[in-house]
Amino acid sequence: MKNLFRRSTLIVSILFSASALAADRIDLPSRIKSHKDGILTLMSFTVLPDVTTSSLSINGGQSNDTSLKQTTVGGGFTISQDFPLYLEGTAGYSRYSPTFIDNDRKLNIPVKWNSFSLTGGIGWDFPLTENRELKLRPIFNFTLGRIESDASILGYYLENNTDIDPDYLEFLHRGRMNAYGLGASIMLDWEHYREDYEVDVELRYSNIQLRSFGSEYNSIEGSSTASVASLWTRWRALTGLTMLNNPLRYVLEASNTTFFGPQRDALDFNYLTTLGVGLELDSSDYPVFITRTRILCRYTFGENVSGFALGLAMSF
């Protein structure tokens, strides 16, 4: 049984430009409407098991302070060669903190949206070669998520000094929105394992349609799409050293993820590439359920962004 557990950290910085609001009122409805369309798009970065976006931290400029923090944990495995059912799962969390600005009253209104998502996948391996090293894997994906909003300013001021639509005002304070997603992935998986080295290559395209539901406010209904093509590769070989009564392996890893649809340019980049190097410990001789542990240092880069990461992976 193969089980992959991936986690990394990436810190990037992007400047967002400020936009002027009307002098006699806070133009929150149009701002909220533009932001709510992006909330589901930002959630779409957390619904798939991808090493390049497993953790992001983005800070905006002072004039329109928009920030995003997100992290995901995911993995997948095939039960056995005799019963090649493939299962995967991803849990994601993100916090999106835009600030609406009233230039006339010198007032900043911070709003925070928190999203939680769980994504599952069920697939089947179809061998393309006699030795079963190359497999075609169609996957059915499903997502369930929740978004909540809060505002750290007195509602009295907003109610008495602005003409904000009540639905928008209520959503700013106690807004809640559920989301679901249905979609599919297609993966080409090559596993070439020998005594001295191991090679893994995964080529994947995923498309999940996200929709909101269960909201009391029709004005905040939204939709988005997670559309991603990715290539992930890994080389493992012997170092000549022994630890835990087993050979110590070095690991080289490379991956590239390209975004399509609403995700494209949503965070000021269209793709991310990751290069990693690390070591793998084999603990299969000990009575623990973890058979292998990998620690990797990764460098991630793309258009306008770059950062370093520390990755942890486990096999069971």
Side-chain angles (χ1 to χ4, degrees):
M1 179 184 299
K2 182 185 72 171
N3 189 17
L4 302 178
F5 178 86
R6 304 167 188 160
R7 179 180 177 88
S8 65
T9 301
L10 170 66
I11 299 178
V12 296
S13 180
I14 300 175
L15 294 180
F16 292 82
S17 61
S19 59
L21 302 180
D24 59 344
R25 61 188 292 270
I26 303 177
D27 189 18
L28 283 177
S30 62
R31 294 292 302 279
I32 296 173
K33 186 173 180 61
S34 65
H35 278 286
K36 65 93 179 176
D37 290 334
I39 296 173
L40 284 177
T41 298
L42 294 176
M43 177 186 280
S44 68
F45 285 91
T46 67
V47 301
L48 293 172
D50 185 83
V51 69
T52 63
T53 59
S54 58
S55 186
L56 290 173
S57 178
I58 298 175
N59 298 317
Q62 294 181 353
S63 59
N64 189 13
D65 188 15
T66 303
S67 62
L68 167 70
K69 295 180 180 179
Q70 71 174 48
T71 185
T72 62
V73 176
F77 64 91
T78 298
I79 293 181
S80 68
Q81 287 191 355
D82 295 331
F83 185 64
L85 179 69
Y86 176 80
L87 301 174
E88 68 178 17
T90 303
Y93 166 77
S94 67
R95 184 171 179 84
Y96 177 47
S97 306
T99 298
F100 301 97
I101 304 172
D102 178 8
N103 291 326
D104 186 55
R105 297 181 177 87
K106 308 299 182 183
L107 176 69
N108 291 350
I109 304 176
V111 182
K112 302 181 187 302
W113 275 292
N114 302 280
S115 73
F116 308 85
S117 63
L118 293 174
T119 301
I122 301 176
W124 192 267
D125 289 354
F126 294 93
L128 300 180
T129 58
E130 187 175 351
N131 59 9
R132 295 178 176 267
E133 288 188 349
L134 183 63
K135 298 176 286 291
L136 183 66
R137 180 180 297 144
I139 306 169
F140 169 70
N141 293 111
F142 48 91
T143 297
L144 185 64
R146 182 173 177 83
I147 301 167
E148 295 192 1
S149 171
D150 61 85
S152 56
I153 192 169
L154 294 177
Y156 176 82
Y157 178 89
L158 295 176
E159 293 174 3
N160 292 276
N161 293 274
T162 69
D163 55 354
I164 305 172
D165 185 283
D167 279 356
Y168 288 107
L169 182 59
E170 183 69 12
F171 181 57
L172 280 175
H173 284 285
R174 293 175 294 276
R176 297 176 179 87
M177 185 168 66
N178 298 317
Y180 73 93
L182 296 175
S185 303
I186 186 70
M187 181 190 296
L188 193 63
D189 184 13
W190 183 49
E191 299 176 351
H192 182 70
Y193 293 171
R194 296 296 182 266
E195 184 176 352
D196 295 336
Y197 66 92
E198 298 178 359
V199 180
D200 292 278
V201 179
E202 293 180 359
L203 180 63
R204 173 171 178 156
Y205 174 74
S206 300
N207 187 292
I208 298 179
Q209 302 292 321
L210 297 174
R211 297 286 187 273
S212 63
F213 74 96
S215 172
E216 299 177 2
Y217 318 108
N218 293 329
S219 56
I220 61 167
E221 298 294 334
S223 64
S224 189
T225 302
S227 182
V228 174
S230 61
L231 173 65
W232 175 78
T233 62
R234 181 178 63 199
W235 165 276
R236 294 180 290 189
L238 302 178
T239 63
L241 303 176
T242 300
M243 292 187 68
L244 303 179
N245 298 327
N246 284 297
L248 177 68
R249 294 178 173 86
Y250 70 88
V251 182
L252 302 178
E253 186 180 274
S255 63
N256 177 271
T257 300
T258 301
F259 305 97
F260 304 96
Q263 290 179 297
R264 198 167 183 85
D265 289 323
L267 298 179
D268 208 27
F269 53 77
N270 297 329
Y271 70 89
L272 288 174
T273 299
T274 297
L275 303 175
V277 59
L279 296 172
E280 179 181 86
L281 297 174
D282 188 338
S283 57
S284 58
D285 286 350
Y286 293 82
V288 293
F289 67 95
I290 299 174
T291 58
R292 292 187 181 185
T293 302
R294 290 177 293 279
I295 301 177
L296 296 97
C297 180
R298 295 188 176 107
Y299 174 66
T300 302
F301 61 93
E303 297 171 294
N304 308 309
V305 297
S306 63
F308 289 93
L310 182 63
L312 175 66
M314 300 176 186
S315 297
F316 303 92

